[in-house]
Amino acid sequence: MEWCTRAAALLGLQVTERSALAELLALVFQYDAKSILQTTEAHVVMSRYAARDVLRQLALLLLDGAELTTDRFREIIAHLKENMDLRGRELFHPLRLALAGRSGEGELDRVILLLDEAAAAGFAAPVKNGPRTHFGVLFGL
C-alpha cells in the first residue's frame, strides 16, 4: 500500500487520464530488453553523441549496490553532468531508455524512482528487477 501511495504521488500529477497512468505503471512491471533494442526509438537514442558513454558511466554508478532513491538519482545525474559535460536529451534519453524502457520526458524519471521499491515490495504480479539488473539484461553486463 505504501508503494501504491508513493506511485500515485509521483505519477498522478503527470497524467490526465487513467490510461496514461496505467501506461507509466506498466513500465515498472514490464521490461523486455530485446524488444526495446529493436525499436526505432532505441536506435535513434543510441546513435546520438555520447549515448553509450552515458550508459557505461550510469552502469558503473548503479552497480555499487546502493538503492536508487530520489537523492541517489540526483547525485547520479549531477555526477554525469559534471563528468560528461552533457545536458538535455543527450544525457537523459539514454538513461531513461535503459532504466524505464523509453526515452521520453521527466515523467519517466519518476517511474525510475519507483523501480527498486517495487522490486522489494513483494507484489503478487512480477515486478521487473531494479535498475542494476536492467544493465545486465540490456547491455550484457
Side-chain angles (χ1 to χ4, degrees):
M1 206 51 185
E2 287 178 39
W3 184 87
C4 292
T5 301
R6 180 159 159 73
L10 285 173
L11 301 177
L13 297 174
Q14 305 300 312
V15 297
T16 57
E17 298 177 10
R18 183 182 289 186
S19 62
L21 178 60
E23 187 179 315
L24 288 175
L25 287 171
L27 296 172
V28 173
F29 295 92
Q30 300 169 2
Y31 192 85
D32 182 356
K34 196 179 259 188
S35 294
I36 291 167
L37 288 174
Q38 292 175 354
T39 65
T40 302
E41 175 187 28
H43 288 267
V44 169
V45 168
M46 295 309 296
S47 68
R48 289 190 186 130
Y49 172 74
R52 294 182 195 295
D53 293 332
V54 168
L55 295 182
R56 280 186 203 100
Q57 291 301 309
L58 179 61
L60 291 172
L61 293 168
L62 288 175
L63 291 172
D64 69 1
E67 184 179 346
L68 188 60
T69 63
T70 301
D71 290 336
R72 178 74 176 126
F73 191 59
R74 285 184 186 139
E75 289 171 10
I76 288 170
I77 298 302
H79 177 84
L80 292 172
K81 283 181 177 180
E82 181 179 313
N83 291 305
M84 301 192 74
D85 196 31
L86 295 172
R87 304 286 186 276
R89 70 181 184 174
E90 283 77 23
L91 175 65
F92 287 100
H93 282 195
L95 182 148
R96 292 172 182 146
L97 179 68
L99 298 178
R102 288 195 337 218
S103 63
E105 299 303 322
E107 73 276 2
L108 296 177
D109 297 346
R110 291 162 184 83
V111 169
I112 292 166
L113 292 174
L114 293 169
L115 296 175
D116 276 348
E117 292 174 21
F123 289 112
V127 175
K128 69 182 182 182
N129 291 327
R132 287 169 296 283
T133 302
H134 297 169
F135 283 101
V137 174
L138 192 57
F139 300 103
L141 297 176

PDB file of all heavy atoms in Angstrom, residues 72-84 87 91:
ATOM      1  N   ARG A  72      19.800   9.666  -4.368  1.00  0.00           N
ATOM      2  CA  ARG A  72      20.833   8.937  -5.121  1.00  0.00           C
ATOM      3  C   ARG A  72      20.709   9.241  -6.613  1.00  0.00           C
ATOM      4  O   ARG A  72      21.709   9.422  -7.303  1.00  0.00           O
ATOM      5  CB  ARG A  72      20.703   7.434  -4.854  1.00  0.00           C
ATOM      6  CG  ARG A  72      21.692   6.592  -5.627  1.00  0.00           C
ATOM      7  CD  ARG A  72      23.099   6.715  -5.057  1.00  0.00           C
ATOM      8  NE  ARG A  72      23.974   5.811  -5.791  1.00  0.00           N
ATOM      9  CZ  ARG A  72      25.091   6.192  -6.382  1.00  0.00           C
ATOM     10  NH1 ARG A  72      25.523   7.414  -6.283  1.00  0.00           N
ATOM     11  NH2 ARG A  72      25.803   5.329  -7.053  1.00  0.00           N
ATOM     12  N   PHE A  73      19.487   9.309  -7.121  1.00  0.00           N
ATOM     13  CA  PHE A  73      19.261   9.621  -8.528  1.00  0.00           C
ATOM     14  C   PHE A  73      19.786  11.026  -8.846  1.00  0.00           C
ATOM     15  O   PHE A  73      20.447  11.229  -9.863  1.00  0.00           O
ATOM     16  CB  PHE A  73      17.769   9.494  -8.850  1.00  0.00           C
ATOM     17  CG  PHE A  73      17.450   9.540 -10.319  1.00  0.00           C
ATOM     18  CD1 PHE A  73      17.990   8.625 -11.198  1.00  0.00           C
ATOM     19  CD2 PHE A  73      16.580  10.495 -10.817  1.00  0.00           C
ATOM     20  CE1 PHE A  73      17.681   8.656 -12.554  1.00  0.00           C
ATOM     21  CE2 PHE A  73      16.265  10.538 -12.165  1.00  0.00           C
ATOM     22  CZ  PHE A  73      16.819   9.616 -13.032  1.00  0.00           C
ATOM     23  N   ARG A  74      19.530  11.969  -7.969  1.00  0.00           N
ATOM     24  CA  ARG A  74      20.040  13.332  -8.159  1.00  0.00           C
ATOM     25  C   ARG A  74      21.572  13.351  -8.162  1.00  0.00           C
ATOM     26  O   ARG A  74      22.191  14.056  -8.959  1.00  0.00           O
ATOM     27  CB  ARG A  74      19.517  14.254  -7.062  1.00  0.00           C
ATOM     28  CG  ARG A  74      18.075  14.627  -7.241  1.00  0.00           C
ATOM     29  CD  ARG A  74      17.640  15.610  -6.174  1.00  0.00           C
ATOM     30  NE  ARG A  74      16.211  15.835  -6.290  1.00  0.00           N
ATOM     31  CZ  ARG A  74      15.369  15.936  -5.284  1.00  0.00           C
ATOM     32  NH1 ARG A  74      15.820  15.845  -4.037  1.00  0.00           N
ATOM     33  NH2 ARG A  74      14.100  16.140  -5.490  1.00  0.00           N
ATOM     34  N   GLU A  75      22.167  12.587  -7.267  1.00  0.00           N
ATOM     35  CA  GLU A  75      23.633  12.500  -7.226  1.00  0.00           C
ATOM     36  C   GLU A  75      24.187  11.934  -8.536  1.00  0.00           C
ATOM     37  O   GLU A  75      25.191  12.426  -9.052  1.00  0.00           O
ATOM     38  CB  GLU A  75      24.082  11.604  -6.070  1.00  0.00           C
ATOM     39  CG  GLU A  75      23.883  12.174  -4.708  1.00  0.00           C
ATOM     40  CD  GLU A  75      24.156  11.151  -3.605  1.00  0.00           C
ATOM     41  OE1 GLU A  75      24.679  10.039  -3.906  1.00  0.00           O
ATOM     42  OE2 GLU A  75      23.834  11.445  -2.451  1.00  0.00           O
ATOM     43  N   ILE A  76      23.542  10.910  -9.030  1.00  0.00           N
ATOM     44  CA  ILE A  76      23.987  10.286 -10.280  1.00  0.00           C
ATOM     45  C   ILE A  76      23.887  11.278 -11.433  1.00  0.00           C
ATOM     46  O   ILE A  76      24.827  11.420 -12.226  1.00  0.00           O
ATOM     47  CB  ILE A  76      23.176   9.002 -10.564  1.00  0.00           C
ATOM     48  CG1 ILE A  76      23.589   7.901  -9.586  1.00  0.00           C
ATOM     49  CG2 ILE A  76      23.344   8.553 -12.011  1.00  0.00           C
ATOM     50  CD1 ILE A  76      22.712   6.674  -9.604  1.00  0.00           C
ATOM     51  N   ILE A  77      22.768  11.985 -11.513  1.00  0.00           N
ATOM     52  CA  ILE A  77      22.582  12.972 -12.581  1.00  0.00           C
ATOM     53  C   ILE A  77      23.639  14.067 -12.465  1.00  0.00           C
ATOM     54  O   ILE A  77      24.263  14.450 -13.469  1.00  0.00           O
ATOM     55  CB  ILE A  77      21.165  13.576 -12.544  1.00  0.00           C
ATOM     56  CG1 ILE A  77      20.100  12.498 -12.764  1.00  0.00           C
ATOM     57  CG2 ILE A  77      21.019  14.708 -13.558  1.00  0.00           C
ATOM     58  CD1 ILE A  77      20.213  11.744 -14.050  1.00  0.00           C
ATOM     59  N   ALA A  78      23.862  14.563 -11.264  1.00  0.00           N
ATOM     60  CA  ALA A  78      24.865  15.612 -11.058  1.00  0.00           C
ATOM     61  C   ALA A  78      26.253  15.111 -11.461  1.00  0.00           C
ATOM     62  O   ALA A  78      27.010  15.832 -12.120  1.00  0.00           O
ATOM     63  CB  ALA A  78      24.865  16.071  -9.603  1.00  0.00           C
ATOM     64  N   HIS A  79      26.572  13.881 -11.082  1.00  0.00           N
ATOM     65  CA  HIS A  79      27.867  13.300 -11.431  1.00  0.00           C
ATOM     66  C   HIS A  79      28.021  13.197 -12.949  1.00  0.00           C
ATOM     67  O   HIS A  79      29.074  13.549 -13.506  1.00  0.00           O
ATOM     68  CB  HIS A  79      28.014  11.918 -10.792  1.00  0.00           C
ATOM     69  CG  HIS A  79      29.269  11.217 -11.149  1.00  0.00           C
ATOM     70  ND1 HIS A  79      30.454  11.444 -10.492  1.00  0.00           N
ATOM     71  CD2 HIS A  79      29.541  10.302 -12.124  1.00  0.00           C
ATOM     72  CE1 HIS A  79      31.404  10.690 -11.034  1.00  0.00           C
ATOM     73  NE2 HIS A  79      30.869  10.001 -12.020  1.00  0.00           N
ATOM     74  N   LEU A  80      26.989  12.711 -13.629  1.00  0.00           N
ATOM     75  CA  LEU A  80      27.059  12.572 -15.079  1.00  0.00           C
ATOM     76  C   LEU A  80      27.184  13.928 -15.765  1.00  0.00           C
ATOM     77  O   LEU A  80      27.982  14.082 -16.698  1.00  0.00           O
ATOM     78  CB  LEU A  80      25.834  11.812 -15.600  1.00  0.00           C
ATOM     79  CG  LEU A  80      25.747  10.342 -15.205  1.00  0.00           C
ATOM     80  CD1 LEU A  80      24.402   9.760 -15.608  1.00  0.00           C
ATOM     81  CD2 LEU A  80      26.892   9.547 -15.805  1.00  0.00           C
ATOM     82  N   LYS A  81      26.423  14.897 -15.292  1.00  0.00           N
ATOM     83  CA  LYS A  81      26.507  16.240 -15.881  1.00  0.00           C
ATOM     84  C   LYS A  81      27.901  16.825 -15.705  1.00  0.00           C
ATOM     85  O   LYS A  81      28.470  17.389 -16.633  1.00  0.00           O
ATOM     86  CB  LYS A  81      25.484  17.175 -15.228  1.00  0.00           C
ATOM     87  CG  LYS A  81      24.077  16.971 -15.703  1.00  0.00           C
ATOM     88  CD  LYS A  81      23.155  17.968 -14.998  1.00  0.00           C
ATOM     89  CE  LYS A  81      21.740  17.856 -15.488  1.00  0.00           C
ATOM     90  NZ  LYS A  81      20.854  18.818 -14.790  1.00  0.00           N
ATOM     91  N   GLU A  82      28.430  16.678 -14.517  1.00  0.00           N
ATOM     92  CA  GLU A  82      29.736  17.249 -14.205  1.00  0.00           C
ATOM     93  C   GLU A  82      30.873  16.561 -14.968  1.00  0.00           C
ATOM     94  O   GLU A  82      31.756  17.218 -15.519  1.00  0.00           O
ATOM     95  CB  GLU A  82      29.994  17.147 -12.705  1.00  0.00           C
ATOM     96  CG  GLU A  82      31.306  17.740 -12.261  1.00  0.00           C
ATOM     97  CD  GLU A  82      31.477  17.616 -10.764  1.00  0.00           C
ATOM     98  OE1 GLU A  82      30.521  17.945 -10.026  1.00  0.00           O
ATOM     99  OE2 GLU A  82      32.561  17.182 -10.337  1.00  0.00           O
ATOM    100  N   ASN A  83      30.835  15.244 -15.001  1.00  0.00           N
ATOM    101  CA  ASN A  83      31.940  14.498 -15.591  1.00  0.00           C
ATOM    102  C   ASN A  83      31.835  14.293 -17.093  1.00  0.00           C
ATOM    103  O   ASN A  83      32.832  13.966 -17.733  1.00  0.00           O
ATOM    104  CB  ASN A  83      32.089  13.147 -14.893  1.00  0.00           C
ATOM    105  CG  ASN A  83      32.581  13.325 -13.482  1.00  0.00           C
ATOM    106  OD1 ASN A  83      33.604  13.948 -13.262  1.00  0.00           O
ATOM    107  ND2 ASN A  83      31.835  12.812 -12.523  1.00  0.00           N
ATOM    108  N   MET A  84      30.654  14.467 -17.638  1.00  0.00           N
ATOM    109  CA  MET A  84      30.492  14.239 -19.068  1.00  0.00           C
ATOM    110  C   MET A  84      30.166  15.520 -19.828  1.00  0.00           C
ATOM    111  O   MET A  84      30.122  15.509 -21.051  1.00  0.00           O
ATOM    112  CB  MET A  84      29.423  13.185 -19.305  1.00  0.00           C
ATOM    113  CG  MET A  84      29.750  11.860 -18.642  1.00  0.00           C
ATOM    114  SD  MET A  84      28.687  10.558 -19.192  1.00  0.00           S
ATOM    115  CE  MET A  84      29.365  10.288 -20.820  1.00  0.00           C
ATOM    116  N   ARG A  87      24.004  17.649 -21.271  1.00  0.00           N
ATOM    117  CA  ARG A  87      22.725  18.119 -20.744  1.00  0.00           C
ATOM    118  C   ARG A  87      21.615  17.612 -21.659  1.00  0.00           C
ATOM    119  O   ARG A  87      21.869  17.100 -22.741  1.00  0.00           O
ATOM    120  CB  ARG A  87      22.660  19.651 -20.700  1.00  0.00           C
ATOM    121  CG  ARG A  87      23.765  20.340 -19.922  1.00  0.00           C
ATOM    122  CD  ARG A  87      23.556  20.160 -18.420  1.00  0.00           C
ATOM    123  NE  ARG A  87      24.497  20.897 -17.613  1.00  0.00           N
ATOM    124  CZ  ARG A  87      25.711  20.491 -17.289  1.00  0.00           C
ATOM    125  NH1 ARG A  87      26.175  19.372 -17.759  1.00  0.00           N
ATOM    126  NH2 ARG A  87      26.478  21.204 -16.503  1.00  0.00           N
ATOM    127  N   LEU A  91      21.904  13.382 -22.394  1.00  0.00           N
ATOM    128  CA  LEU A  91      22.105  12.748 -21.091  1.00  0.00           C
ATOM    129  C   LEU A  91      20.895  11.911 -20.682  1.00  0.00           C
ATOM    130  O   LEU A  91      21.016  10.746 -20.331  1.00  0.00           O
ATOM    131  CB  LEU A  91      22.387  13.809 -20.019  1.00  0.00           C
ATOM    132  CG  LEU A  91      22.503  13.307 -18.586  1.00  0.00           C
ATOM    133  CD1 LEU A  91      23.712  12.388 -18.437  1.00  0.00           C
ATOM    134  CD2 LEU A  91      22.604  14.472 -17.635  1.00  0.00           C
TER     135      LEU A  91
END
